[in-house]
């Protein structure tokens, strides 16, 4: 591993990016994962490498203005404006993952698209999703990042109309776990909707109870999931951590 700061944090973020590529959650060399590692210090994937080839040392260390403190690749503008503004507005958002993953984005592409409580995996997000129903073009400035951050209204997940999703969490493991299950829930819903038959919704009181039960074990399950992913990746592609 090169002599760089935040070695474990870099390895975790690179692992998440590699697995997102394996699962088809990314789009080309676009989309961004970031992690706050100290006051006004953030790791973020650079513009250039594909997620499938990302290594820990490829990741950029930046400050809140977008100045690259460590790294050899450029920083993509929208990554700066979306991620730093969310990190700064929402202290709980240590990890911020933004993707255009297919099924969740499909829900963002329909009028009043919402994740419905129609499958168990969707219930972990019950009451945890904010919706931005106003597409406003590319995030080319801090004002657009601030607008998105404000739409989150304290919730950890944001659906962006005509765009994609943002998932935030206290750790890389929890962010990735939520990202994975969000896409699986969206996939099940889109497939169910394709039948043309009504969705069978879980009643609100039961959905709330199940969401609380899931939240109680969320951290442990996320860590177990992510540790398994890291072990498999270490066997297949040990270069990711370098």
């Amino acid at each position: 591993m090169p002599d760089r700061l935040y070695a474990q944090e870099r390895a975790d973020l690179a692992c998440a990016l590699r697995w997102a590529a394996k699962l088809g959650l990314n789009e080309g060399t676009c989309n961004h994962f970031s992690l706050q590692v100290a006051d006004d210090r953030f790791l973020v994937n650079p513009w250039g490498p594909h997620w499938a080839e990302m290594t820990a040392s490829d990741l950029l260390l930046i400050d809140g203005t977008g100045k690259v403190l460590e790294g050899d690749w450029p920083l993509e503008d929208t990554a700066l404006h979306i991620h730093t503004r969310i990190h700064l507005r929402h202290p709980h958002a240590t990890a911020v993952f933004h993707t255009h993953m297919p099924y969740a984005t499909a829900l963002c592409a329909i009028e009043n698209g919402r994740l419905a409580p129609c499958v168990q995996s969707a219930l972990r997000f019950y009451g945890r999703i904010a919706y931005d129903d106003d597409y406003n073009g590319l995030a080319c400035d801090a004002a657009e990042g601030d607008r998105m951050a404000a739409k989150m209204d304290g919730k950890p997940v944001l659906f962006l109309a005509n765009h994609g999703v943002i998932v935030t969490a206290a750790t890389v493991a929890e962010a990735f776990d939520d990202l994975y299950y969000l896409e699986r829930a969206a996939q099940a819903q889109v497939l169910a909707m394709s039948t043309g038959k009504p969705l069978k919704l879980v009643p609100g009181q039961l959905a709330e109870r199940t969401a609380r039960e899931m939240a109680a074990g969320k951290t442990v399950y996320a860590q177990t999931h992510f540790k398994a992913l890291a072990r498999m990746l270490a066997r297949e592609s040990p270069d990711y951590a370098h």
Side-chain angles (χ1 to χ4, degrees):
M1 177 80 187
D3 184 19
R4 294 197 174 189
L5 294 173
Y6 312 114
Q8 187 58 58
E9 291 87 347
R10 286 174 173 275
D12 288 346
L13 199 57
C15 178
L17 289 158
R18 289 274 188 116
W19 268 103
K22 283 175 173 287
L23 297 171
L25 306 183
N26 65 313
E27 191 168 59
T29 55
C30 300
N31 305 170
H32 336 99
F33 286 4
S34 62
L35 178 67
Q36 184 166 6
V37 292
D39 289 343
D40 198 38
R41 294 292 182 271
F42 312 91
L43 292 173
V44 62
N45 58 292
W47 182 36
H50 194 280
W51 290 17
E53 64 177 347
M54 197 73 65
T55 66
S57 58
D58 286 329
L59 298 172
L60 304 179
L61 180 67
I62 66 170
D63 66 15
T65 69
K67 180 181 179 181
V68 176
L69 307 175
E70 280 193 355
D72 303 319
W73 296 89
L75 173 65
E76 203 269 329
D77 284 347
T78 62
L80 167 65
H81 299 311
I82 294 173
H83 287 253
T84 57
R85 308 315 294 178
I86 291 174
H87 282 297
L88 293 172
R89 186 181 180 100
H90 300 289
H92 68 276
T94 305
V96 177
F97 289 5
H98 169 51
T99 71
H100 302 166
M101 53 191 189
Y103 289 96
T105 302
L107 295 182
C108 297
I110 61 178
E111 192 69 35
N112 296 316
R114 299 292 188 266
L115 185 71
C118 59
V119 291
Q120 181 170 282
S121 54
L123 299 182
R124 68 187 285 155
F125 301 102
Y126 193 81
R128 299 177 61 226
I129 301 176
Y131 295 91
D132 177 6
D133 292 321
D134 303 306
Y135 180 68
N136 200 39
L138 299 179
C140 294
D141 54 38
E144 179 60 10
D146 286 334
R147 191 191 69 83
M148 289 182 180
K151 289 284 187 178
M152 296 187 76
D153 191 29
K155 294 183 179 178
V157 179
L158 178 64
F159 274 49
L160 299 162
N162 312 109
H163 186 172
V165 297
I166 295 172
V167 171
T168 69
T171 66
V172 169
E174 290 176 80
F176 189 89
D177 196 57
D178 266 354
L179 194 75
Y180 171 83
Y181 280 103
L182 182 64
E183 180 68 350
R184 292 300 295 263
Q187 180 181 21
Q189 180 176 330
V190 170
L191 291 173
M193 290 168 64
S194 73
T195 68
K197 297 182 178 180
L199 297 175
K200 182 175 176 61
L201 302 181
V202 177
Q205 190 172 16
L206 178 56
E208 289 176 6
R209 189 191 80 194
T210 306
R212 288 195 303 270
E213 292 169 346
M214 289 179 161
K218 182 177 183 293
T219 299
V220 173
Y221 276 89
Q223 291 173 345
T224 301
H225 182 194
F226 197 74
K227 286 177 182 177
L229 296 177
R231 284 195 303 270
M232 289 188 286
L233 190 61
R235 289 195 297 269
E236 298 169 6
S237 306
D239 65 305
Y240 86 89
H242 297 284

